[in-house]
Amino acid sequence: MLSNYFSEEEVAEFRVWMDWADDFAIVSHVSPDGDSVGSSLAMASFLQLKGKKARVVLPDAPPSFLEWLPGMPDVVIFEDDPETASGILQKADVICCLDFNVIGRVKDMASSVLYSKAKKILIDHHLGPSQFCDIILSRPNASSTSELLFHFLCALGEWNVINRQISECICTGMMTDTGAFTYNSNDPQFFFIMSKLMEKDVDKDSIYRRIYHNFSEQRLRLSGYVLTEKMEILPGSRVALITLSQSEMKRFCCRKGDTEGFVNMPLQISGILFSAFLKEESTRGIVKISLRSVGSVPSNLFASKFFNGGGHRNASGGEFEGTLQRCVRVFKNGIDEWRKSDDEAIRILFDPDKK
Ligand code: 5GP
Ligand code: MN
């Protein structure tokens, strides 16, 4: 059974907004992933079914393996068309902010969102939301924002409106934010929701194939290169590191999204509990950091302390201004600092006996 995840009190104000507002914009974070795009498109579909105008506006384009998602052709990308995107945000009565906790995560869209006269609601599962919205529904323990959206629609009493398209979007977010149900998915409610989505005719297996068996030939070859040549296990530790430069990505004709999931690969090695992927961005002088950990190892603390980033305990990230070489040095110095830690959750990375 589904618990009352959101109380009537928490959704009551949005219910009132639904009475007077006609024009909704839905925004999510930069480098969109399955959860940000899935939850945004689910929300847009729902609002459209309720007779509202609803547009999804994203800071930059989602990776190609999400192109099949229902509603994708109508998504407006701020980076490609800032005028249209800001126009939508300016005109909106309500802006729904999904899957991010601080306004900086929408990058160049931040001022258009902040200074829009629209009422704003945040639905998110990242720790420590900042107070930039009128309604804040934050649940850091949730698997995904998509799961929260399911609870939100049910709390509004809209179960009957959830159709196959909405369910496919929600399923995508729940699948991708849990690494296809391999982490953050032990709550029995999680699979109860999945079963309810399947009642709406979602083909989970087909969604899995569309997301995870949708690589280009180059991407598969690049992953071979990365594992053979680029993965490093730091001596005396359970820490793995992969770096990738722009020139290497060009050599393999890398497209957006082609490096997705690389950070997870070293965790397939028995005993590895912390994995980092450092990728040189095409914007000069920026390195994107992705971190993944197993169990109690707090990757998000590493992200915030050494890379001004954040995220969840087992999946986090940040950005570094400087060269890839310097970023690697900062990372390795950070690991050396962690070697001195008294924290049990960190010490396990340097304990040869524990698994
Ligand atoms: P990914 O490695 O998939 O890019 O990001 C994993 C998670 O880390 C995201 O869902 C987000 O919570 C967090 N994250 C990634 N990059 C950043 C960043 O630059 N700043 C913050 N605060 N969080 C990030
Ligand atoms: Mn998410």
Coordinates of all heavy atoms in Angstrom, one line a residue, residues 69-159:
L69 N 11.5 9.7 -25.1 CA 10.5 9.9 -24.1 C 9.4 10.7 -24.6 O 9.6 11.7 -25.3 CB 11.2 10.7 -22.9 CG 11.9 9.9 -21.9 CD1 12.8 10.8 -21.0 CD2 10.9 9.1 -21.0
P70 N 8.1 10.4 -24.2 CA 7.0 11.1 -24.7 C 7.0 12.6 -24.3 O 7.3 12.9 -23.1 CB 5.8 10.4 -24.0 CG 6.3 9.2 -23.3 CD 7.8 9.3 -23.3
G71 N 6.8 13.4 -25.3 CA 6.8 14.9 -25.0 C 8.1 15.5 -25.3 O 8.2 16.8 -25.3
M72 N 9.1 14.8 -25.6 CA 10.5 15.3 -25.9 C 10.5 16.4 -27.0 O 11.2 17.4 -26.8 CB 11.5 14.2 -26.1 CG 12.9 14.6 -25.9 SD 13.1 15.0 -24.2 CE 14.6 14.1 -23.9
P73 N 9.8 16.2 -28.1 CA 10.0 17.2 -29.2 C 9.5 18.6 -28.7 O 10.0 19.6 -29.4 CB 9.0 16.7 -30.3 CG 8.9 15.2 -30.0 CD 9.0 15.1 -28.5
D74 N 8.7 18.7 -27.7 CA 8.2 20.1 -27.3 C 9.1 20.7 -26.2 O 8.8 21.8 -25.8 CB 6.8 19.9 -26.7 CG 5.8 19.4 -27.7 OD1 6.0 19.7 -28.9 OD2 4.9 18.6 -27.3
V75 N 10.2 20.0 -25.8 CA 11.1 20.6 -24.8 C 11.8 21.8 -25.4 O 12.3 21.7 -26.5 CB 12.0 19.5 -24.2 CG1 13.1 20.2 -23.3 CG2 11.2 18.5 -23.5
V76 N 11.9 22.9 -24.6 CA 12.7 24.1 -25.1 C 14.0 24.1 -24.4 O 14.1 23.9 -23.2 CB 11.9 25.4 -24.8 CG1 12.7 26.6 -25.2 CG2 10.6 25.4 -25.5
I77 N 15.1 24.2 -25.2 CA 16.4 24.2 -24.6 C 17.0 25.7 -24.5 O 17.1 26.3 -25.5 CB 17.4 23.4 -25.4 CG1 16.8 21.9 -25.7 CG2 18.8 23.3 -24.8 CD1 16.7 21.1 -24.4
F78 N 17.2 26.1 -23.3 CA 17.7 27.5 -23.1 C 18.9 27.8 -23.9 O 19.0 28.9 -24.5 CB 17.9 27.7 -21.6 CG 18.1 29.1 -21.2 CD1 17.1 30.0 -20.8 CD2 19.4 29.6 -21.2 CE1 17.4 31.3 -20.4 CE2 19.7 31.0 -20.8 CZ 18.6 31.8 -20.4
E79 N 19.9 26.9 -23.8 CA 21.2 27.1 -24.5 C 21.0 27.4 -26.0 O 21.7 28.2 -26.6 CB 22.0 25.9 -24.3 CG 23.5 26.0 -24.6 CD 24.2 24.7 -24.3 OE1 24.0 23.7 -24.9 OE2 25.1 24.7 -23.4
D80 N 20.0 26.7 -26.6 CA 19.8 26.8 -28.0 C 18.9 28.0 -28.4 O 19.1 28.6 -29.5 CB 19.1 25.5 -28.6 CG 19.9 24.3 -28.4 OD1 21.1 24.4 -28.1 OD2 19.3 23.2 -28.5
D81 N 18.0 28.3 -27.5 CA 17.0 29.4 -27.9 C 16.7 30.2 -26.6 O 15.6 30.0 -26.0 CB 15.8 28.7 -28.5 CG 14.8 29.7 -29.0 OD1 15.1 30.9 -28.9 OD2 13.8 29.3 -29.6
P82 N 17.6 31.0 -26.1 CA 17.4 31.7 -24.8 C 16.2 32.6 -24.8 O 15.5 32.7 -23.8 CB 18.7 32.4 -24.6 CG 19.5 32.4 -25.8 CD 19.0 31.2 -26.7
E83 N 15.9 33.2 -26.0 CA 14.8 34.1 -26.1 C 13.4 33.4 -25.8 O 12.6 33.9 -25.0 CB 14.7 34.8 -27.4 CG 15.1 36.3 -27.3 CD 15.3 36.9 -28.7 OE1 14.3 36.9 -29.5 OE2 16.4 37.3 -29.0
T84 N 13.2 32.4 -26.6 CA 12.0 31.6 -26.4 C 11.9 31.1 -24.9 O 10.8 31.2 -24.3 CB 11.9 30.4 -27.3 OG1 12.1 30.9 -28.6 CG2 10.6 29.7 -27.2
A85 N 13.0 30.5 -24.5 CA 13.0 29.9 -23.1 C 12.7 31.0 -22.1 O 11.8 30.8 -21.2 CB 14.4 29.3 -22.8
S86 N 13.4 32.2 -22.1 CA 13.1 33.2 -21.1 C 11.7 33.7 -21.2 O 11.1 34.1 -20.2 CB 14.0 34.4 -21.2 OG 15.2 34.1 -21.8
G87 N 11.2 33.8 -22.5 CA 9.8 34.3 -22.7 C 8.8 33.4 -21.9 O 7.9 33.8 -21.3
I88 N 9.0 32.0 -22.1 CA 8.1 31.1 -21.4 C 8.2 31.3 -19.9 O 7.2 31.3 -19.2 CB 8.5 29.6 -21.8 CG1 8.2 29.4 -23.3 CG2 7.8 28.6 -20.9 CD1 8.8 28.1 -23.8
L89 N 9.4 31.5 -19.4 CA 9.6 31.6 -17.9 C 9.0 32.9 -17.4 O 8.4 33.0 -16.3 CB 11.1 31.5 -17.5 CG 11.7 30.2 -17.8 CD1 13.2 30.2 -17.7 CD2 11.1 29.1 -16.9
Q90 N 9.1 33.9 -18.2 CA 8.5 35.2 -17.9 C 7.0 35.2 -17.8 O 6.4 35.8 -16.9 CB 9.0 36.3 -18.9 CG 9.5 37.6 -18.3 CD 10.3 38.3 -19.3 OE1 9.8 38.5 -20.4 NE2 11.5 38.7 -18.9
K91 N 6.4 34.5 -18.8 CA 4.9 34.6 -18.9 C 4.2 33.6 -18.0 O 3.0 33.7 -17.7 CB 4.6 34.2 -20.4 CG 4.8 35.3 -21.4 CD 3.8 35.2 -22.6 CE 3.5 33.8 -23.1 NZ 4.4 33.2 -24.0
A92 N 5.0 32.6 -17.5 CA 4.4 31.5 -16.7 C 3.7 32.1 -15.4 O 4.2 33.0 -14.8 CB 5.4 30.5 -16.3
D93 N 2.6 31.4 -15.1 CA 1.9 31.7 -13.8 C 2.6 30.9 -12.7 O 2.7 31.4 -11.6 CB 0.4 31.3 -13.8 CG -0.4 32.1 -14.9 OD1 -0.1 33.3 -15.1 OD2 -1.2 31.4 -15.6
V94 N 3.0 29.7 -13.1 CA 3.6 28.8 -12.1 C 4.9 28.2 -12.7 O 4.8 27.8 -13.9 CB 2.7 27.7 -11.7 CG1 3.4 26.7 -10.8 CG2 1.5 28.3 -10.9
I95 N 6.0 28.2 -12.0 CA 7.2 27.4 -12.4 C 7.4 26.3 -11.5 O 7.5 26.4 -10.2 CB 8.4 28.3 -12.4 CG1 8.2 29.5 -13.4 CG2 9.7 27.5 -12.8 CD1 9.4 30.4 -13.5
C96 N 7.4 25.1 -12.0 CA 7.7 23.9 -11.2 C 9.2 23.5 -11.4 O 9.7 23.3 -12.5 CB 6.9 22.7 -11.8 SG 5.1 23.0 -11.9
C97 N 9.9 23.5 -10.3 CA 11.4 23.3 -10.3 C 11.6 21.9 -9.8 O 11.3 21.5 -8.6 CB 12.1 24.2 -9.3 SG 11.9 26.0 -9.7
L98 N 12.0 21.0 -10.7 CA 12.1 19.6 -10.4 C 13.6 19.1 -10.4 O 14.3 19.4 -11.3 CB 11.3 18.8 -11.4 CG 9.8 19.1 -11.5 CD1 9.1 18.2 -12.5 CD2 9.1 19.1 -10.2
D99 N 13.9 18.3 -9.4 CA 15.2 17.5 -9.3 C 16.4 18.4 -9.2 O 17.5 18.1 -9.6 CB 15.3 16.6 -10.6 CG 16.3 15.5 -10.3 OD1 16.3 15.0 -9.2 OD2 17.0 15.2 -11.3
F100 N 16.3 19.5 -8.5 CA 17.5 20.3 -8.1 C 17.2 21.1 -6.8 O 16.0 21.4 -6.5 CB 18.0 21.2 -9.2 CG 17.0 22.3 -9.6 CD1 17.2 23.6 -9.1 CD2 16.0 22.1 -10.5 CE1 16.3 24.6 -9.5 CE2 15.2 23.1 -10.9 CZ 15.3 24.4 -10.4
N101 N 18.2 21.4 -6.1 CA 18.0 22.0 -4.7 C 18.5 23.4 -4.6 O 18.1 24.1 -3.7 CB 18.6 21.1 -3.6 CG 20.1 20.9 -3.9 OD1 20.6 21.2 -5.0 ND2 20.8 20.4 -2.9
V102 N 19.4 23.8 -5.5 CA 19.9 25.2 -5.5 C 19.8 25.8 -6.9 O 20.0 25.1 -7.9 CB 21.3 25.3 -5.0 CG1 21.4 25.0 -3.5 CG2 22.3 24.4 -5.7
I103 N 19.5 27.1 -6.9 CA 19.2 27.7 -8.2 C 20.4 27.7 -9.2 O 20.2 27.6 -10.4 CB 18.7 29.2 -8.0 CG1 18.0 29.7 -9.3 CG2 19.8 30.1 -7.5 CD1 16.7 29.0 -9.7
G104 N 21.6 27.6 -8.7 CA 22.8 27.5 -9.5 C 22.8 26.3 -10.4 O 23.4 26.3 -11.5
R105 N 22.0 25.3 -10.1 CA 21.9 24.1 -10.9 C 21.2 24.3 -12.2 O 21.3 23.4 -13.1 CB 21.3 22.9 -10.1 CG 22.1 22.5 -8.9 CD 23.2 21.6 -9.2 NE 22.8 20.3 -9.6 CZ 23.4 19.5 -10.5 NH1 24.5 20.0 -11.1 NH2 23.0 18.3 -10.8
V106 N 20.5 25.4 -12.4 CA 19.9 25.6 -13.7 C 20.8 26.6 -14.6 O 20.4 27.0 -15.6 CB 18.4 26.2 -13.7 CG1 17.5 25.1 -12.9 CG2 18.3 27.5 -13.0
K107 N 22.0 26.8 -14.0 CA 23.0 27.6 -14.8 C 22.5 28.9 -15.3 O 21.9 29.7 -14.5 CB 23.6 26.8 -15.9 CG 24.4 25.6 -15.5 CD 25.8 26.1 -15.1 CE 26.4 25.0 -14.1 NZ 27.7 25.3 -13.7
D108 N 22.6 29.2 -16.6 CA 22.2 30.5 -17.2 C 20.8 30.9 -17.1 O 20.4 32.0 -17.3 CB 22.7 30.6 -18.6 CG 24.2 30.4 -18.8 OD1 24.9 30.6 -17.7 OD2 24.7 30.1 -19.9
M109 N 19.9 29.9 -16.7 CA 18.5 30.1 -16.6 C 18.1 30.7 -15.3 O 17.0 31.1 -15.0 CB 17.7 28.8 -16.7 CG 17.3 28.4 -18.1 SD 16.9 26.7 -18.2 CE 15.6 26.5 -17.0
A110 N 19.1 30.8 -14.3 CA 18.8 31.1 -12.9 C 18.1 32.4 -12.8 O 17.1 32.5 -12.1 CB 20.1 31.1 -12.1
S111 N 18.5 33.5 -13.5 CA 17.9 34.8 -13.2 C 16.5 34.8 -13.8 O 15.6 35.3 -13.3 CB 18.7 35.9 -13.7 OG 19.0 35.7 -15.1
S112 N 16.3 34.1 -15.0 CA 15.0 34.1 -15.6 C 14.0 33.3 -14.7 O 12.8 33.7 -14.6 CB 15.0 33.3 -16.9 OG 15.9 33.9 -17.8
V113 N 14.5 32.3 -13.9 CA 13.6 31.6 -13.0 C 13.3 32.5 -11.8 O 12.2 32.8 -11.4 CB 14.2 30.3 -12.6 CG1 13.3 29.6 -11.5 CG2 14.3 29.3 -13.8
L114 N 14.5 33.0 -11.2 CA 14.3 33.7 -9.9 C 13.5 35.0 -10.0 O 12.7 35.3 -9.2 CB 15.7 34.1 -9.4 CG 16.5 33.1 -8.6 CD1 17.8 33.8 -8.1 CD2 15.7 32.6 -7.4
Y115 N 13.7 35.7 -11.2 CA 13.0 37.0 -11.3 C 11.7 36.9 -12.0 O 11.0 38.0 -12.2 CB 13.9 38.1 -11.9 CG 15.2 38.2 -11.0 CD1 16.5 38.0 -11.5 CD2 15.1 38.5 -9.7 CE1 17.6 38.1 -10.7 CE2 16.2 38.6 -8.9 CZ 17.4 38.4 -9.4 OH 18.5 38.5 -8.6
S116 N 11.2 35.7 -12.4 CA 9.9 35.6 -13.0 C 8.9 35.8 -11.8 O 9.1 35.5 -10.7 CB 9.7 34.2 -13.5 OG 8.4 33.9 -13.7
K117 N 7.8 36.4 -12.2 CA 6.7 36.8 -11.2 C 5.9 35.5 -10.8 O 5.1 35.5 -9.9 CB 5.8 37.8 -11.8 CG 5.1 37.3 -13.1 CD 3.9 38.1 -13.5 CE 3.1 37.4 -14.6 NZ 3.6 36.2 -15.3
A118 N 6.2 34.4 -11.5 CA 5.5 33.2 -11.3 C 5.6 32.7 -9.9 O 6.6 32.9 -9.2 CB 6.0 32.1 -12.3
K119 N 4.5 32.0 -9.4 CA 4.6 31.2 -8.2 C 5.5 30.0 -8.5 O 5.6 29.5 -9.6 CB 3.2 30.7 -7.8 CG 2.3 31.8 -7.3 CD 2.6 32.1 -5.9 CE 1.6 33.0 -5.3 NZ 2.1 33.5 -4.0
K120 N 6.3 29.6 -7.5 CA 7.2 28.5 -7.7 C 7.1 27.3 -6.7 O 6.9 27.6 -5.5 CB 8.6 29.0 -7.6 CG 8.9 30.0 -8.8 CD 10.2 30.7 -8.6 CE 10.2 32.0 -9.5 NZ 10.2 33.2 -8.8
I121 N 7.1 26.1 -7.3 CA 7.1 24.9 -6.4 C 8.4 24.1 -6.7 O 8.8 24.0 -7.8 CB 5.8 24.1 -6.6 CG1 5.9 22.8 -5.8 CG2 5.7 23.7 -8.1 CD1 4.6 22.0 -5.7
L122 N 9.0 23.6 -5.6 CA 10.2 22.7 -5.8 C 9.8 21.3 -5.3 O 9.2 21.1 -4.2 CB 11.3 23.3 -4.9 CG 12.6 22.4 -4.8 CD1 13.4 22.8 -6.0 CD2 13.3 22.7 -3.6
I123 N 10.0 20.4 -6.2 CA 9.9 19.0 -5.8 C 11.2 18.3 -6.1 O 11.7 18.3 -7.2 CB 8.8 18.2 -6.6 CG1 7.4 19.0 -6.5 CG2 8.6 16.8 -6.2 CD1 6.3 18.4 -7.3
D124 N 11.8 17.8 -5.0 CA 13.2 17.4 -5.2 C 13.7 16.4 -4.1 O 13.1 16.3 -3.0 CB 14.1 18.6 -5.1 CG 15.6 18.2 -5.2 OD1 15.9 17.5 -6.2 OD2 16.4 18.7 -4.4
H125 N 14.8 15.7 -4.4 CA 15.3 14.7 -3.4 C 16.7 14.9 -3.1 O 17.4 14.0 -2.7 CB 15.0 13.3 -3.9 CG 15.8 12.9 -5.1 ND1 16.5 11.7 -5.2 CD2 16.1 13.5 -6.3 CE1 17.1 11.6 -6.4 NE2 16.9 12.7 -7.0
H126 N 17.2 16.2 -3.3 CA 18.6 16.5 -2.9 C 18.6 17.1 -1.5 O 17.7 17.8 -1.1 CB 19.3 17.4 -3.9 CG 19.5 16.8 -5.2 ND1 18.5 16.9 -6.2 CD2 20.5 16.0 -5.7 CE1 18.9 16.2 -7.3 NE2 20.1 15.7 -7.0
L127 N 19.7 16.8 -0.8 CA 19.8 17.4 0.6 C 19.9 18.9 0.6 O 20.4 19.5 -0.4 CB 21.1 16.9 1.2 CG 21.1 15.5 1.9 CD1 22.6 15.2 2.3 CD2 20.2 15.5 3.1
G128 N 19.3 19.5 1.6 CA 19.5 21.0 1.8 C 19.0 21.9 0.8 O 19.7 22.7 0.2
P129 N 17.7 21.9 0.5 CA 17.1 22.8 -0.6 C 17.2 24.2 -0.1 O 17.0 24.5 1.1 CB 15.6 22.4 -0.7 CG 15.3 21.7 0.7 CD 16.6 21.1 1.1
S130 N 17.6 25.1 -1.0 CA 17.6 26.5 -0.6 C 16.2 27.1 -0.8 O 15.4 26.5 -1.6 CB 18.6 27.3 -1.4 OG 18.4 27.3 -2.7
Q131 N 15.9 28.2 -0.2 CA 14.5 28.6 -0.1 C 14.1 29.6 -1.2 O 13.8 30.7 -1.0 CB 14.3 29.3 1.3 CG 14.8 28.5 2.5 CD 13.9 27.3 2.7 OE1 12.7 27.4 2.8 NE2 14.5 26.1 2.8
F132 N 14.1 29.1 -2.4 CA 13.8 30.1 -3.5 C 12.4 29.8 -4.1 O 12.0 30.4 -5.1 CB 14.9 30.0 -4.6 CG 15.0 28.7 -5.3 CD1 14.4 28.4 -6.5 CD2 15.7 27.7 -4.8 CE1 14.5 27.2 -7.2 CE2 15.9 26.4 -5.4 CZ 15.2 26.2 -6.6
C133 N 11.6 28.9 -3.5 CA 10.3 28.6 -4.0 C 9.2 28.8 -2.9 O 9.5 28.7 -1.7 CB 10.2 27.1 -4.5 SG 11.2 26.8 -5.9
D134 N 8.0 29.0 -3.4 CA 6.9 29.3 -2.4 C 6.5 28.0 -1.7 O 6.1 28.0 -0.6 CB 5.7 29.8 -3.2 CG 6.0 31.1 -3.9 OD1 6.0 32.1 -3.3 OD2 6.4 31.0 -5.2
I135 N 6.5 26.9 -2.5 CA 6.2 25.6 -1.9 C 7.5 24.7 -2.1 O 8.0 24.6 -3.2 CB 5.1 24.8 -2.6 CG1 3.8 25.7 -2.6 CG2 4.8 23.5 -2.0 CD1 2.6 25.0 -3.4
I136 N 7.9 24.1 -1.0 CA 9.1 23.2 -1.1 C 8.7 21.8 -0.6 O 8.4 21.6 0.5 CB 10.3 23.8 -0.3 CG1 10.7 25.1 -0.9 CG2 11.4 22.8 -0.2 CD1 11.8 25.8 -0.2
L137 N 8.8 20.9 -1.5 CA 8.5 19.5 -1.2 C 9.8 18.7 -1.4 O 10.2 18.3 -2.5 CB 7.4 18.9 -2.0 CG 6.0 19.6 -1.9 CD1 5.0 18.9 -2.9 CD2 5.5 19.5 -0.5
S138 N 10.6 18.6 -0.3 CA 11.9 18.0 -0.4 C 12.0 16.7 0.4 O 11.6 16.7 1.6 CB 13.0 19.0 0.2 OG 14.2 18.3 0.4
R139 N 12.4 15.6 -0.2 CA 12.5 14.3 0.4 C 13.9 13.7 0.1 O 13.9 12.9 -0.9 CB 11.4 13.4 0.0 CG 10.0 13.8 0.5 CD 9.8 13.6 2.0 NE 8.4 13.8 2.3 CZ 7.8 15.0 2.5 NH1 8.4 16.1 2.4 NH2 6.5 15.0 2.8
P140 N 14.9 14.0 0.8 CA 16.2 13.5 0.4 C 16.3 11.9 0.5 O 17.2 11.4 -0.1 CB 17.2 14.1 1.5 CG 16.4 15.3 2.0 CD 15.0 14.9 1.9
N141 N 15.4 11.3 1.1 CA 15.5 9.8 1.2 C 14.8 9.1 -0.1 O 15.0 7.9 -0.2 CB 14.9 9.3 2.4 CG 15.8 9.5 3.6 OD1 17.0 9.5 3.5 ND2 15.2 9.7 4.8
A142 N 14.2 9.9 -0.9 CA 13.5 9.3 -2.0 C 14.5 8.9 -3.1 O 15.5 9.5 -3.2 CB 12.5 10.3 -2.6
S143 N 14.1 7.8 -3.8 CA 15.0 7.3 -4.8 C 15.2 8.4 -5.9 O 16.3 8.5 -6.5 CB 14.4 6.1 -5.5 OG 13.2 6.5 -6.3
S144 N 14.2 9.1 -6.2 CA 14.2 10.0 -7.4 C 13.1 11.0 -7.3 O 12.1 10.8 -6.6 CB 14.0 9.1 -8.6 OG 12.8 8.4 -8.5
T145 N 13.3 12.1 -8.1 CA 12.2 13.1 -8.1 C 11.0 12.5 -8.8 O 9.8 12.8 -8.5 CB 12.7 14.3 -8.8 OG1 13.8 14.9 -8.1 CG2 11.6 15.4 -9.0
S146 N 11.2 11.6 -9.7 CA 10.1 10.9 -10.5 C 9.2 10.2 -9.5 O 8.0 10.2 -9.6 CB 10.6 10.0 -11.5 OG 11.4 10.7 -12.5
E147 N 9.9 9.5 -8.5 CA 9.1 8.8 -7.5 C 8.2 9.8 -6.7 O 7.0 9.6 -6.5 CB 10.0 8.0 -6.6 CG 9.2 7.2 -5.5 CD 10.1 6.6 -4.4 OE1 11.3 6.5 -4.6 OE2 9.5 6.2 -3.4
L148 N 8.9 10.9 -6.4 CA 8.1 11.9 -5.6 C 7.0 12.5 -6.4 O 5.9 12.8 -5.9 CB 9.1 13.1 -5.3 CG 10.2 12.8 -4.2 CD1 11.0 14.0 -4.0 CD2 9.5 12.3 -3.0
L149 N 7.2 12.6 -7.7 CA 6.1 13.1 -8.6 C 4.9 12.1 -8.5 O 3.7 12.6 -8.5 CB 6.6 13.3 -10.0 CG 5.6 14.2 -10.8 CD1 5.8 15.7 -10.3 CD2 5.9 14.2 -12.2
F150 N 5.2 10.8 -8.5 CA 4.1 9.8 -8.4 C 3.3 10.1 -7.1 O 2.1 10.2 -7.1 CB 4.7 8.4 -8.5 CG 3.6 7.4 -8.4 CD1 3.1 6.9 -9.5 CD2 3.2 6.9 -7.2 CE1 2.1 5.9 -9.5 CE2 2.2 5.9 -7.1 CZ 1.7 5.4 -8.3
H151 N 4.1 10.2 -6.0 CA 3.4 10.5 -4.7 C 2.6 11.8 -4.8 O 1.5 11.9 -4.2 CB 4.4 10.6 -3.6 CG 5.0 9.3 -3.2 ND1 4.3 8.3 -2.6 CD2 6.3 8.8 -3.3 CE1 5.0 7.3 -2.3 NE2 6.2 7.5 -2.7
F152 N 3.2 12.8 -5.4 CA 2.6 14.1 -5.5 C 1.2 14.0 -6.2 O 0.2 14.5 -5.8 CB 3.5 15.1 -6.2 CG 3.0 16.5 -6.3 CD1 2.8 17.3 -5.2 CD2 2.7 17.0 -7.6 CE1 2.4 18.6 -5.3 CE2 2.2 18.3 -7.7 CZ 2.1 19.1 -6.6
L153 N 1.2 13.4 -7.4 CA 0.0 13.2 -8.2 C -1.1 12.4 -7.4 O -2.2 12.8 -7.4 CB 0.3 12.6 -9.5 CG 1.2 13.4 -10.5 CD1 1.4 12.7 -11.8 CD2 0.8 14.8 -10.7
C154 N -0.6 11.4 -6.7 CA -1.5 10.6 -5.9 C -2.1 11.4 -4.8 O -3.3 11.4 -4.5 CB -0.9 9.3 -5.4 SG -0.5 8.2 -6.7
A155 N -1.3 12.2 -4.1 CA -1.7 13.1 -3.0 C -2.7 14.1 -3.5 O -3.6 14.5 -2.8 CB -0.5 13.8 -2.3
L156 N -2.6 14.5 -4.8 CA -3.6 15.4 -5.4 C -4.9 14.7 -5.7 O -5.8 15.4 -6.2 CB -3.0 16.1 -6.6 CG -1.9 17.2 -6.4 CD1 -1.4 17.6 -7.8 CD2 -2.5 18.4 -5.8
G157 N -4.8 13.4 -5.6 CA -6.0 12.6 -6.0 C -6.1 12.4 -7.5 O -7.2 12.2 -8.0
E158 N -5.0 12.4 -8.1 CA -5.0 12.3 -9.6 C -4.6 11.0 -10.2 O -4.1 10.9 -11.3 CB -4.2 13.5 -10.2 CG -4.6 14.8 -9.8 CD -5.9 15.3 -10.5 OE1 -6.5 14.5 -11.3 OE2 -6.3 16.5 -10.2
W159 N -4.6 9.9 -9.4 CA -4.2 8.6 -9.8 C -4.8 8.2 -11.2 O -4.1 7.7 -12.1 CB -4.5 7.5 -8.8 CG -4.6 6.1 -9.3 CD1 -5.7 5.4 -9.5 CD2 -3.5 5.3 -9.7 NE1 -5.4 4.2 -10.0 CE2 -4.1 4.1 -10.2 CE3 -2.1 5.5 -9.8 CZ2 -3.3 3.0 -10.6 CZ3 -1.3 4.4 -10.3 CH2 -1.9 3.2 -10.7

